[in-house]
Amino acid sequence: MTLWTPLHVVTGKGGTGKTTVAAALATSLAARGRRVLLCEVEGRQGIAQLFDVAPLPYEERRIANGLDGGAVHALAIDPEAALLEYLQMFYRLGRAGKALDKFGIIDFATTIAPGVRDVLLTGKVYEVARRTGADRYDAIVMDAPPTGRITRFLNVNHEVAGLAKVGPIKRQAESIMQLMRAPSTQVHLVTVLEEMPVQETLDGIAELEAADLPVGRVLLNLVRPELVTAPTRDALDAGSLDETAVAAALRSVSLSSDAAGPLLAQARAHVERQVLQEQQREVSGDCGRPVVELPLLGGSEAGRVDVDALLADRGTQIIVCCGSGGVGKTTTSAALALRAAEQGRHVCVLTIDPARRLAQSMGLTELDNVPRPVADVDTSAGGSLDAMMLDMKRTFDEVVEAHATPEKAQQILQNPFYVALSSSFAGTQEYMAMEKLGQLHAAASDDPDVPDWDLIVVDTPPSRSALDFLDAPERLSSLLDGRFIKLLLAPAKGPARLLSAGFGIVTSALNKVLGAQVLSDVQTFVAAFDTLFGGFRQRAEATYSLLQADGTAFLVVAAPEADAMREAAYFVERLAAEDMPLAGLVVNRVHERAAGGLTAADAESGATRLRAADEESVAELLDVHADRERVAAREEKVQRRFTGSHPTVPTVPVAALPTDVHDLDGLRRIGDLIAGR
């Protein structure tokens, strides 16, 4: 029986702080004298950024020391390097491995072959977990993909089943599943006390349990302190704690009475957020798993984005909202689309995976890939709003059906490799979002039966990295038009072209690793898909041209947290490098300062004196203010760092709301905040 190294898999919806939690867990274990490997699998270099070290290579490297000989080692797992290592370690392929790389098959297999990428990423962890002797670690912590993808990522045996029924890659997946289901493995889910992340966490737990994968703890991150007690809440509700009473209490401890109104407003907002936290705490407490709370820790100038001017400009035909996961892209996209429609524009918003209640408020109850009118929009200014959710596979099927003969299309749609590719390739969603954008733009311009949209708002897919959105279309089209594809097409164009020693080594190696059936399915797919390959590249180039055009505007969306702002900085720089028109940065969920310049120190001092005078309710209002000031100071520091590096990027802060947005009125409120109203 294998003695596995304990494996802690940390997942969570984007924006919940899963990378920080994974790093904190590794550091905590090292502080107890453990030798820990902290690994990441998404290519974001988040670990290097957190520990302030150089980008991590594909090798284990010590990045921090703990007590009693403990240490944190880090590894950024690269699927292409992992495949070459795997081929050499288990098959001694040597020359054949180099041939695979030469012919572009390493790139093809790790990018397109469904399930293979995840087998390689988890396979490296499997190799580390089964080590013995001096190279063995005491624990492994994996910064894993987001909750929405975690079950598919870990359940590699099921994912590979659609690609390989038998063969070495299938056996490797089965071996990895022994580790994933071992008693020493735990999957921890990180969330924040908000409706959408909590629901996604509960859905993730259900999916993991259905796949017989071991669920560990639920980690409630960024929990705000509950500073307003029940008596004070009752006094606020009853009106007995009013501005006059608060002003008198402030004067009694030599603080300005001008702060009374703002303090009451802050307290009421805090209570709303506190109630939401309590509701979601109760919901998350029903998950049947141990729950741990992690508290929120309190630390030349660009212009402001003129959002209303952007929306009113009839030359603006496309707005693309992009950024890392969990920062409010979908809500921002919907709010901008609604605001533009109610100001007279004819708008179509293409959204990706919105929260259920937000989707329902816009009339989106299913994935049907068809724009639908949104009810209850104010059309008095002459505008209109249509909305749709992207159906990734249906869009791919539509591309096939539009560009192939009926017979050829049926052959492609039924091919096992295509079925897996169209639903699970890591870049398909990004590509298909842009494919659908091209379809909508062309239809609005040319088809008299389609509403005459003059503005399309795009909510980009949640990605492992913001850069995926720009890379995926070109990457997919390049792979489908690459050297390996041409070699697979060669038999139909002359058998003699296959008689090279190099390609013979390649096919032999592929059959050895994947099994003959997989290669046969790929060859059948490629032969049927032959006439469509050029079109993928052509449409990718057309999409890039559309994104670079004057009528397109990119809005980068972020939250005032270090991880999200770093991702925003990378995206801003990439947009500039690609000559794509950047309108500005939207910073969501900002905690603004209030209460007439009252500092956190003054508020804490005043609270202490009021408690001594038995004025607990007003003291709690000052506690709320002091906490808000500390959070605002930390957020301002993060934003100043971005502005210092990108002084010419217009920015608009959007104040944090005490409750979630789940209806059109909430979207209107967000739209007002984005526009600075």
Side-chain angles (χ1 to χ4, degrees), residues 354-491:
R356 293 178 185 176
R357 289 167 70 186
L358 177 59
Q360 291 168 1
S361 73
M362 299 182 69
L364 301 175
T365 58
E366 59 184 348
L367 282 167
D368 59 2
N369 234 29
V370 178
R372 306 285 185 187
V374 176
D376 300 322
V377 173
D378 182 357
T379 59
S380 59
S384 64
L385 176 60
D386 294 280
M388 66 165 288
M389 287 195 290
L390 178 73
D391 183 338
M392 177 179 71
K393 188 178 189 311
R394 183 61 216 151
T395 302
F396 211 148
D397 291 349
E398 288 172 355
V399 172
V400 172
E401 291 165 348
H403 298 280
T405 64
E407 297 79 10
K408 186 70 67 80
Q410 194 65 20
Q411 187 179 0
I412 293 170
L413 295 176
Q414 293 178 352
N415 180 271
F417 183 78
Y418 170 80
V419 171
L421 167 68
S422 61
S423 58
S424 62
F425 164 51
T428 303
Q429 193 176 47
E430 286 85 351
Y431 183 92
M432 290 307 149
M434 291 301 95
E435 185 78 38
K436 179 56 69 173
L437 168 61
Q439 292 177 9
L440 294 174
H441 186 263
S445 303
D446 305 330
D447 191 338
D449 295 328
V450 172
D452 189 19
W453 301 308
D454 55 32
L455 177 63
I456 300 171
V457 180
V458 183
D459 163 33
T460 59
S463 304
R464 65 186 175 89
S465 167
L467 302 184
D468 283 355
F469 169 68
L470 293 178
D471 290 335
E474 175 62 22
R475 187 165 178 77
L476 180 60
S477 63
S478 296
L479 286 166
L480 292 178
D481 199 25
R483 187 177 184 187
F484 179 49
I485 294 295
K486 290 182 172 64
L487 286 168
L488 288 176
L489 286 172

Side-chain angles (χ1 to χ4, degrees), residues 277-353:
Q277 282 200 158
E278 290 169 356
Q279 293 170 344
Q280 296 306 316
R281 181 182 285 113
E282 184 176 347
V283 171
S284 60
D286 293 335
C287 67
R289 300 290 169 176
V291 176
V292 178
E293 295 197 12
L294 305 174
L296 173 69
L297 302 177
S300 141
E301 211 171 84
R304 182 186 176 94
V305 182
D306 190 340
V307 171
D308 279 341
L310 179 69
L311 298 178
D313 183 359
R314 298 287 168 161
T316 303
Q317 299 177 335
I318 297 171
I319 294 177
V320 182
C321 294
C322 49
S324 58
V327 297
K329 292 193 307 293
T330 299
T331 301
T332 299
S333 302
L336 290 171
L338 177 61
R339 188 173 185 84
E342 294 188 335
Q343 291 180 352
R345 301 293 298 269
H346 296 282
V347 187
C348 179
V349 57
L350 169 60
T351 185
I352 313 294
D353 190 28

Side-chain angles (χ1 to χ4, degrees), residues 171-203:
R171 291 194 295 272
Q172 174 75 354
E174 290 172 346
S175 298
I176 293 170
M177 290 312 301
Q178 295 177 25
L179 168 63
M180 295 306 166
R181 293 192 170 119
S184 56
T185 296
Q186 290 188 311
V187 182
H188 307 297
L189 296 96
V190 182
T191 186
V192 294
L193 288 173
E194 296 174 5
E195 180 187 11
M196 188 173 180
V198 167
Q199 184 59 54
E200 190 165 310
T201 298
L202 297 178
D203 292 343

Side-chain angles (χ1 to χ4, degrees), residues 84 105 138 144 158 231 240 244 282 288 345-346 361 404 479 501 527 613 651:
L84 286 171
I105 298 171
D138 297 310
H158 179 269
S240 58
T244 300
E282 184 176 347
R345 301 293 298 269
H346 296 282
S361 73
L479 286 166
T651 302

Side-chain angles (χ1 to χ4, degrees), residues 56-180:
L56 299 171
Y58 182 60
E59 64 180 39
E60 294 155 41
R61 174 174 294 180
R62 182 188 291 233
I63 59 171
N65 295 319
L67 301 174
D68 300 324
V72 177
H73 296 251
L75 173 66
I77 304 178
D78 174 72
E80 294 183 17
L83 179 54
L84 286 171
E85 182 185 53
Y86 170 78
L87 294 174
Q88 180 59 32
M89 183 179 297
F90 292 100
Y91 298 101
R92 302 288 190 269
L93 287 183
R95 181 186 172 198
K98 294 179 180 178
L100 289 170
D101 197 19
K102 177 182 177 182
F103 283 105
I105 298 171
I106 297 294
D107 194 25
F108 182 91
T110 57
T111 304
I112 285 190
V116 170
R117 182 186 187 93
D118 292 345
V119 169
L120 294 168
L121 293 170
T122 54
K124 179 60 181 179
V125 177
Y126 166 81
E127 181 270 318
V128 174
R130 63 199 293 264
R131 289 179 188 171
T132 59
D135 290 338
R136 180 179 174 86
Y137 289 95
D138 297 310
I140 303 169
V141 178
M142 180 198 296
D143 178 19
T147 312
R149 204 170 76 82
I150 189 63
T151 301
R152 287 174 55 187
F153 175 75
L154 297 176
N155 196 19
V156 292
N157 193 29
H158 179 269
E159 293 304 310
V160 169
L163 176 70
K165 308 296 183 185
V166 295
I169 198 72
K170 173 68 172 174
R171 291 194 295 272
Q172 174 75 354
E174 290 172 346
S175 298
I176 293 170
M177 290 312 301
Q178 295 177 25
L179 168 63
M180 295 306 166

